[in-house]
Amino acid sequence: MTPPPARRRRTGAPLRSYPRKGSVRRAQMITTYGVGSIIAVDNESFMVSGIDSWNVGEAPTIFEHRLARVLGVKSFRLPPASDDTSKDGVRVRRFPLWHSCPGCNTLQHVSRFNSPPGKNECGDCAEELVPSRFVMACAKGHIEDFPYWKWAHRNNRQDGDTGLCGGEMRLRTTGRTASLRSILISCTCGIPEVSMEGAFRRTALSDLKVFCNGRRPWLGAAPAEHCSERPRTLQRGSSVAWQPIVKAALSIPPWSDGHAARLGLHWDALREMQGNRDAIAVYLKALTLQENYEFSVDKVMELLEAENHEEADPDDDKTPDRAYVALRKQEYERLVAGRLESETDHEAQFVCEPPRSTAARLAPYGVTGPMLVKRLREVRALKSFSRVDTPETRTDVHEAALSAVPMNWLPAMEVQGEGVFLRLDEQRLDDWARSTAVAARADRIRAAHLRMLRDRAQDPASVPDSPADARMVLLHTLSHALINEWSLDGGYPAASLRERLYADESMAGILICTATSDSAGSLGGLVAQGEPDRLEPALRSALVRAQWCSADPLCIESQGSGVGGINLAACHACVLLPETSCEHNNGLLDRALLIGTPEDPSIGFFHDALR
């Protein structure tokens, strides 16, 4: 069997040219302005269309085998970049469709303003139209325009009346305050003016007998879904109007070398020839001539064997949560084992080496096996999104689809960077965690977290277990303390660093890596911080700094802080980070587990090292 011929890039003009409305960074298409989100461009408002409408003919393909298998796709795509001559681009649709004119105060569907071609202005007074500030959405991701007519006529209709009154809607603001009371809606049919006050109550729309119509405007002509969820009024730019659900994984051997990436398009064919080494050799020989790259049969066989091993892993029970845990365990094992730069080629995306100097000076702190991750690649994929409810506010959040039909790819971004991996001595960690005082603080955090999860779950039987225990909270707080210290001592902005925790009964490590691919990305500065002669002073300084907070004694004596009271001794003056740097949204933290309390310093894991 020979490989299929390489696809030629398209040439010539696109079938249809769409006007360019604006631009965002590629990374924002994953985290901020992904599919289904509302984006403001000048004085207009648009919704990003589904990925089945994207023109990705020239968009680079990203291969990350482990993450693709978990998410059920074959590959990932960088969001297409567009310019004045590009054939690629992300399509958007105007949303919301109801606009108002600040000149004549008319409030109606945008198509009724008779705007001049290519302009979004009132046909009567030539004022630029203002998109509706309010929308209606439900927890299943459906969204549509706010029902202004029903809101304005809610107290002026008799039971059994149907149809519209025939009048024209008006919207004006008194300017007296910035509250909803100053936004007034009226109709030329003669009803009294009503304000928008009360529109954000949970039952405001259901009291009007307004129900969700199941509309998905980001999917274009896709049919509406049946929906029994209660709709809510949202601000068009509210953070809960669109929340991304992003999944990430590190590229680790054997999938991190040049072979795996180059074979991404041919993997299905190679999988069919599994076990037939001669057939694979013939296929690769033809592919070598086609790609002008020397493929190794042994490396391909190693990749196939690794895939079989992942499928046969007894710890992976095929549920999504267990699959993500399995990804973490594979990464942890590779970070512990390391991979020398001398054993890799220039295309390898994972290089992890022990420091040049001895790590003995870290032994008093219980830190073992520091590793310098000199080359690191992280792939972050947009799996879906949610509205109204978010993964932080509800455990069983509904995930809205990115396309009307299933696609074999998802939008993603890749970050090439570096990092430092640290482990704690597991025997010492277990002995410390058995302390009654330590267990009591950890149990208090765990109980608060479980209570929050139960309160947010729609089905009490589906409440997930809390990951909070003494080991996890200690590692999490240590990670925050080190990121804060390196932001002060190493010159890194805290938002440019990112934590990745490895904490369960078989793992006790943290990876602090660069979170962006800009100038703070892969210049070697972070790896230098992992050398023991620099790491030990930084670690000690971070712990000494954690001994005192400007909010003490309130902070250290806190019985619960943060959302749901899932933090103890943690605040913005000591260990909290920018939310983009933290895996748990600044929750499950307690610096007392690092350094102890004034009443009982022995609670701190590092108490003896600081004496």
Side-chain angles (χ1 to χ4, degrees):
M1 181 176 180
T2 59
R7 294 190 303 172
R8 295 181 178 178
R9 291 171 65 106
R10 294 178 306 147
T11 59
L15 296 178
R16 184 174 179 183
S17 178
Y18 292 92
R20 184 178 180 183
K21 290 296 184 180
S23 63
V24 297
R25 298 193 305 272
R26 270 177 160 166
Q28 289 180 303
M29 294 301 302
I30 306 299
T31 60
T32 311
Y33 299 122
V35 172
S37 65
I38 301 175
I39 178 172
V41 180
D42 296 329
N43 291 324
E44 300 180 86
S45 177
F46 300 93
M47 179 172 286
V48 180
S49 298
I51 60 175
D52 47 355
S53 71
W54 291 11
N55 189 354
V56 295
E58 297 178 359
T61 302
I62 299 175
F63 294 102
E64 172 43 52
H65 186 81
R66 298 187 311 126
L67 184 61
R69 286 176 66 83
V70 171
L71 297 180
V73 295
K74 291 185 177 180
S75 63
F76 305 97
R77 291 272 194 160
L78 276 177
S82 64
D83 53 35
D84 294 337
T85 61
S86 174
K87 294 182 281 291
D88 284 9
V90 174
R91 293 186 182 178
V92 296
R93 302 176 186 275
R94 189 177 298 279
F95 185 86
L97 295 178
W98 274 63
H99 286 53
S100 62
C101 173
C104 59
N105 294 332
T106 301
L107 173 66
Q108 61 187 3
H109 194 282
V110 66
S111 63
R112 299 177 59 190
F113 279 100
N114 296 321
S115 301
K119 294 185 178 181
N120 189 46
E121 61 183 38
C122 180
D124 295 331
C125 53
E127 290 281 349
E128 288 191 348
L129 300 179
V130 178
S132 170
R133 184 174 154 190
F134 309 103
V135 296
M136 182 179 80
C138 79
K140 286 191 175 180
H142 306 133
I143 190 169
E144 55 187 291
D145 284 277
F146 182 80
Y148 285 104
W149 192 92
K150 290 186 178 181
W151 180 258
H153 292 76
R154 64 186 186 277
N155 295 323
N156 298 279
R157 302 187 72 200
Q158 297 181 357
D159 292 341
D161 283 356
T162 59
L164 302 179
C165 63
E168 294 184 356
M169 304 293 298
R170 297 285 188 266
L171 182 148
R172 70 182 184 92
T173 59
T174 63
R176 295 174 183 173
T177 68
S179 67
L180 294 175
R181 184 179 298 178
S182 296
I183 303 176
L184 302 176
I185 311 294
S186 62
C187 182
T188 58
C189 70
I191 63 169
E193 277 187 325
V194 297
S195 74
M196 289 294 295
E197 186 176 23
F200 285 83
R201 290 186 295 108
R202 286 184 175 271
T203 60
L205 296 179
S206 57
D207 289 345
L208 296 179
K209 293 183 171 53
V210 173
F211 306 104
C212 179
N213 295 312
R215 292 175 182 163
R216 300 174 290 171
W218 69 95
L219 298 182
E225 296 180 321
H226 171 74
C227 182
S228 59
E229 289 286 334
R230 177 182 295 174
R232 293 275 306 277
T233 304
L234 300 178
Q235 295 254 26
R236 172 165 49 93
S238 169
S239 61
V240 295
W242 187 83
Q243 279 286 323
I245 298 177
V246 177
K247 301 300 181 181
L250 303 181
S251 295
I252 59 173
W255 306 103
S256 59
D257 61 14
H259 267 62
R262 291 175 179 272
L263 291 171
L265 295 175
H266 307 277
W267 197 247
D268 288 340
L270 291 170
R271 192 180 291 116
E272 291 178 0
M273 293 181 283
Q274 188 170 1
N276 190 339
R277 185 183 179 91
D278 293 338
I280 292 177
V282 173
Y283 188 94
L284 293 179
K285 186 175 182 179
L287 191 60
T288 297
L289 298 175
Q290 179 179 303
E291 298 284 342
N292 195 25
Y293 180 87
E294 189 67 31
F295 290 95
S296 168
V297 178
D298 292 333
K299 287 187 176 181
V300 172
M301 297 299 291
E302 181 185 359
L303 292 172
L304 290 169
E305 183 179 353
E307 184 181 56
N308 291 336
H309 178 72
E310 292 171 6
E311 291 179 342
D313 190 348
D315 293 331
D316 186 1
D317 59 5
K318 304 303 181 183
T319 62
D321 289 343
R322 292 299 304 169
Y324 296 131
V325 171
L327 287 182
R328 289 293 175 105
K329 287 187 176 181
Q330 294 166 9
E331 293 171 7
Y332 182 78
E333 292 170 358
R334 278 298 178 177
L335 288 166
V336 171
R339 193 181 196 193
L340 300 179
E341 189 168 10
S342 59
E343 299 174 353
T344 64
D345 55 28
H346 69 282
E347 291 188 335
Q349 299 163 334
F350 182 85
V351 174
C352 181
E353 297 183 328
R356 294 188 299 269
S357 57
T358 177
R361 60 189 305 174
L362 297 173
Y365 298 91
V367 175
T368 63
M371 300 293 283
L372 310 181
V373 189
K374 296 183 177 180
R375 209 178 298 167
L376 183 68
R377 174 181 180 254
E378 183 185 26
V379 175
R380 303 172 193 164
L382 177 63
K383 179 189 178 188
S384 55
F385 67 90
S386 65
R387 301 195 202 275
V388 181
D389 295 331
T390 68
E392 290 75 39
T393 61
R394 188 169 294 279
T395 56
D396 48 356
V397 63
H398 178 83
E399 299 184 2
L402 301 185
S403 58
V405 295
M407 305 289 286
N408 63 1
W409 61 273
L410 288 173
M413 59 176 288
E414 57 181 350
V415 176
Q416 305 278 357
E418 59 188 5
V420 175
F421 175 69
L422 303 176
R423 282 186 296 150
L424 296 183
D425 184 282
E426 295 200 37
Q427 183 60 51
R428 180 172 167 179
L429 195 56
D430 291 339
D431 294 342
W432 166 81
R434 281 193 287 267
S435 166
T436 303
V438 171
R441 291 189 72 90
D443 289 344
R444 194 183 310 167
I445 294 176
R446 180 180 178 84
H449 193 215
L450 285 172
R451 181 170 57 251
M452 184 182 73
L453 294 175
R454 284 194 297 268
D455 292 343
R456 292 175 174 178
Q458 293 180 340
D459 181 7
S462 64
V463 178
D465 193 19
S466 170
D469 58 15
R471 174 182 294 209
M472 182 270 172
V473 176
L474 172 67
L475 289 166
H476 191 198
T477 311
L478 174 62
S479 172
H480 279 229
L482 277 174
I483 289 177
N484 275 328
E485 180 63 26
W486 284 340
S487 71
L488 296 172
D489 183 57
Y492 280 91
S496 71
L497 300 179
R498 184 182 182 93
E499 70 179 4
R500 197 161 176 86
L501 303 179
Y502 301 91
D504 67 7
E505 66 278 358
S506 61
M507 300 186 292
I510 56 175
L511 172 66
I512 299 176
C513 56
T514 51
T516 59
S517 55
D518 58 10
S519 57
S522 55
L523 300 178
L526 184 57
V527 166
Q529 300 295 325
E531 290 288 348
D533 57 348
R534 297 181 66 93
L535 179 57
E536 191 275 335
L539 177 58
R540 184 173 188 85
S541 176
L543 296 173
V544 170
R545 200 183 303 277
Q547 287 181 315
W548 178 252
C549 170
S550 60
D552 282 341
L554 296 178
C555 180
I556 196 68
E557 295 177 355
S558 171
Q559 298 299 307
S561 63
V563 178
I566 59 175
N567 290 336
L568 290 182
C571 70
H572 283 285
C574 50
V575 295
L576 297 194
L577 292 175
E579 290 192 0
T580 54
S581 300
C582 177
E583 286 195 317
H584 294 279
N585 295 287
N586 278 326
L588 310 180
L589 296 164
D590 182 16
R591 64 186 172 92
L593 296 185
L594 295 179
I595 44 86
T597 64
E599 295 79 15
D600 188 1
S602 65
I603 292 177
F605 181 82
F606 299 99
H607 167 66
D608 292 337
L610 294 176
R611 287 192 298 182

